[in-house]
Amino acid sequence: MVDASFIHRALVLAIGIMVYMCEGINVAILAPFFPPYAEDEVGLSETQIGLVVGAFDMANFCSQFLVASIVRPQQQKLFFTLGTFLSAGCVGLFGYCGNESRPTVFFVCCLSIRVMMGVGASFVFACTTPIVTRTFPEKAAFITSVAQSAIGAGAMIGPPLGSLMYQLGGYSWPFYLSAIIELVLAVAALLLVPELRPGDQVTSTRKVDNTTYFRFVSNPWLLALSVPILSVFAIIGYKDVAYSLFLRDELGMTEEDIGYTFIAIAGCFVLTAPLFGIALQKGVAGYTLTLAMFLGCSSVALLAVPAIAPKTRSLLYVLPLFALTGVAIAALCGSCFFLFEKIAEHNGFEDQAMNRLMVSSWYYTVRSVGRITGSFLVGGVVLQFAGFYRTCLIYGGVDLLLTLFAALVILRLGFFRLIYQTVQTEGTAAALVEKEGPDGQPVHSILQSISTASAC
C-alpha cells in the first residue's frame, strides 16, 4: 500500500512540473495569432509587437537578480505561489486586452502585462526546482531534467493550443484557458506545498545575507563556465529570428509547415531531457555538458553546408539538424544546473536549499541572456551583414572554440565525473509526513527521513 507521504510528495512534484509547463505555454501560446492580430486588427507596428513579445525575457532577466537577493529558502513557497498567481492573473489580463481597440492603449497595456508576467515567471523559475527536488532527493538530477523538459513541452503545446482556441473563441480564449489552469495550480500549491523551516537545511560556513547571491555569481569559475553555456542557449534566440526565414526563402515552405518543423526541436528536447537526467544520476555531468555544446555548435555550423552543396537544400537534410538542436538543449539544461550547484558547494556555500535557489536564478539569467544575445546580436546584427549561411558558419566556429574552453574549465575543476549527491540533515531529509510535535500532536515536516542519497 502506498503511504500518504509518497502521495503528498508526488502531488507536490506534479504541481511543480505542471506549473513549469504552464509557463512554457504562456510564453509560446501567442506566437501563431498575436502578431497578425495586433498588426491587422489593432494597428500596432512590427517594432511595437517585438517590444511586447520581448518584454517577457527582459523583465525575467532583470528580476532574477532581485529575486535571488531577497528570497530565502524558508520563503520559497511564498514566492512560488505568488509567482504562480501573478502569472495566472497576467495571462488573463492579457486576454482581456482583446476588448481594447485603441492602438496606444492596447500597446501600453500589453507591454506592462508582459513585464509583470516576466516578473512572476522569475519567482516561479527561481523556486520551482528547489521545491520539486526536495520531494525525492535521491532523484534530484532526474527531476531537474524532467522539470526542464516540462517547459519544452509547454512551448511545444502552446502554439497549436493557442491557434485552436483562437479559431474557436477569438483573441481572449487562449489566454483565459491558460489563466484558469494556472490559477487552479496556484491554489493547489498554496494548500499542498510545504514550508521549509529554519532547521531543515545545512548551515553554511558562509554568512547568508542580501549579498550572498552576488558573491556566488561573481565566482570566476562560475562566470567562466557560464559564457560557453550562454552561447548554446543563444541558438534558441537565433532560431526564433532566422530559421523560419531560411525555411521560407530557401526551401519554399509555408508558415504552417514551418510550425510543424519547429516541433522537431521541442519534441526532441522533451523526449531526451529525462534520458539525460538518468545519465546525470550516473555521474557524467561534465561529459554531458561537453557533448551538449558540441552538438549545439555542430547543429548550427552544418546548416551552412547547403551554401556549397545545393543538393542538401532540402527538409530531409535540415530536419535532423533541427532535432539535433533539441537534443543539445536537453543535454545542456540538467548538466549545467548540476555543475553550477557543485561550484557553489566547492566555494563554501553548503546550504543546499539556498544553493538551488541561487543556481535556479543564475541558470535562468544565463538562459535569458543567451536568448537575447541570439536574437539581437547574432540574429540581428551578424545575420544582417553576413547572411544566413556565413552566420551559421561563424556561429558554429565560435561555439566550437567555446566548447573546448568549457572542457578545459571542467577539467580544471575536476567535474568531468561527479555522482549527484543530496546533502541532507535530519531536517532536510524529512518528508511530507506527519511527525509528532512537543505536545504529541502530528505536525508537518518538509521531507521524509531518509539517509544521504547517492545515485549508483
Side-chain angles (χ1 to χ4, degrees):
M1 182 177 178
V2 180
D3 61 88
S5 163
F6 179 86
I7 295 175
H8 193 178
R9 286 181 289 155
L11 286 173
V12 172
L13 176 59
I15 290 170
I17 297 298
M18 292 179 68
V19 168
Y20 256 163
M21 185 177 294
C22 282
E23 293 299 329
I25 292 174
N26 291 345
V27 174
I29 197 170
L30 51 69
F33 65 89
F34 178 77
Y37 175 88
E39 185 175 27
D40 300 336
E41 301 295 330
V42 183
L44 297 190
S45 66
E46 292 182 356
T47 301
Q48 289 175 315
I49 294 172
L51 288 173
V52 171
V53 174
F56 177 91
D57 277 326
M58 289 300 298
N60 183 261
F61 162 68
C62 294
S63 57
Q64 286 292 350
F65 288 94
L66 177 64
V67 172
S69 300
I70 64 175
V71 179
R72 295 293 172 263
Q74 295 79 23
Q75 300 169 320
Q76 286 173 2
K77 176 184 177 178
L78 170 64
F79 279 85
F80 174 72
T81 53
L82 177 62
T84 309
F85 275 113
L86 184 59
S87 294
C90 287
V91 172
L93 288 174
F94 201 89
Y96 187 75
C97 287
N99 297 317
E100 179 57 60
S101 58
R102 291 170 292 179
T104 302
V105 177
F106 181 84
F107 169 69
V108 172
C109 290
C110 288
L111 183 66
S112 303
I113 292 169
R114 287 284 287 183
V115 168
M116 292 306 299
M117 196 185 301
V119 174
S122 69
F123 294 169
V124 172
F125 290 157
C127 299
T128 303
T129 301
I131 287 173
V132 297
T133 51
R134 288 204 309 269
T135 56
F136 298 94
E138 70 278 11
K139 299 295 182 183
F142 177 72
I143 290 173
T144 300
S145 296
V146 171
Q148 299 306 319
S149 71
I151 299 179
M156 184 172 62
I157 295 170
L161 177 63
S163 181
L164 175 63
M165 296 304 298
Y166 179 73
Q167 292 174 14
L168 292 176
Y171 173 86
S172 298
W173 274 37
F175 303 108
Y176 288 164
L177 175 64
S178 181
I180 291 171
I181 293 172
E182 193 159 13
L183 184 62
V184 171
L185 291 172
V187 174
L190 187 64
L191 297 175
L192 294 175
V193 174
E195 301 280 358
L196 182 64
R197 299 178 181 179
D200 293 333
Q201 59 198 61
V202 176
T203 303
S204 177
T205 57
R206 292 195 172 204
K207 181 183 177 182
V208 177
D209 53 29
N210 291 337
T211 66
T212 301
Y213 182 65
F214 293 97
R215 286 188 279 119
F216 167 65
V217 300
S218 62
N219 181 277
W221 291 113
L222 179 71
L223 295 174
L225 193 59
S226 297
V227 173
I229 292 171
L230 182 153
S231 72
V232 180
F233 281 131
I235 297 175
I236 303 175
Y238 178 55
K239 165 190 71 71
D240 292 341
V241 173
Y243 282 19
S244 58
L245 297 176
F246 165 73
L247 293 173
R248 185 193 67 185
D249 298 339
E250 297 294 329
L251 303 185
M253 296 179 63
T254 65
E255 293 181 357
E256 183 178 0
D257 292 336
I258 291 172
Y260 292 137
T261 303
F262 280 159
I263 292 179
I265 299 177
C268 287
F269 175 87
V270 172
L271 292 174
T272 57
L275 300 179
F276 284 114
I278 295 173
L280 292 176
Q281 291 287 162
K282 303 299 182 182
V284 291
Y287 293 109
T288 304
L289 180 63
T290 307
L291 174 65
M293 299 200 60
F294 180 75
L295 293 178
C297 70
S298 299
S299 68
V300 176
L302 290 174
L303 285 174
V305 171
I308 57 176
K311 290 184 178 181
T312 60
R313 293 183 184 178
S314 66
L315 185 60
L316 188 63
Y317 176 79
V318 171
L319 194 60
L321 297 181
F322 280 21
L324 198 63
T325 300
V327 175
I329 301 299
L332 183 71
C333 291
S335 58
C336 72
F337 190 99
F338 175 45
L339 292 175
F340 286 166
E341 185 176 332
K342 288 304 174 185
I343 290 175
E345 291 178 4
H346 278 66
N347 285 274
F349 297 99
E350 298 168 1
D351 182 342
Q352 192 169 73
M354 187 65 191
N355 283 353
R356 287 181 177 166
L357 180 64
M358 295 190 300
V359 167
S360 292
S361 293
W362 181 246
Y363 167 82
Y364 285 104
T365 298
V366 172
R367 184 168 180 151
S368 295
V369 173
R371 289 180 57 127
I372 294 169
T373 302
S375 58
F376 288 101
L377 180 61
V378 183
V381 179
V382 180
L383 182 65
Q384 182 179 358
F385 289 100
F388 180 79
Y389 293 118
R390 288 193 182 93
T391 300
C392 288
L393 192 60
I394 293 170
Y395 188 100
V398 172
D399 221 6
L400 179 60
L401 294 177
L402 290 173
T403 299
L404 298 175
F405 175 72
L408 291 175
V409 172
I410 295 170
L411 183 64
R412 174 65 179 81
L413 291 171
F415 285 177
F416 260 110
R417 184 166 182 83
L418 286 172
I419 300 297
Y420 201 107
Q421 291 182 317
T422 301
V423 180
Q424 300 168 346
T425 63
E426 183 180 356
T428 18
L432 306 164
V433 295
E434 303 288 349
K435 292 179 66 179
E436 287 191 358
D439 56 355
Q441 297 297 319
V443 295
H444 263 89
S445 175
I446 301 303
L447 294 171
Q448 184 179 12
S449 292
I450 56 174
S451 57
T452 300
S454 154
C456 296

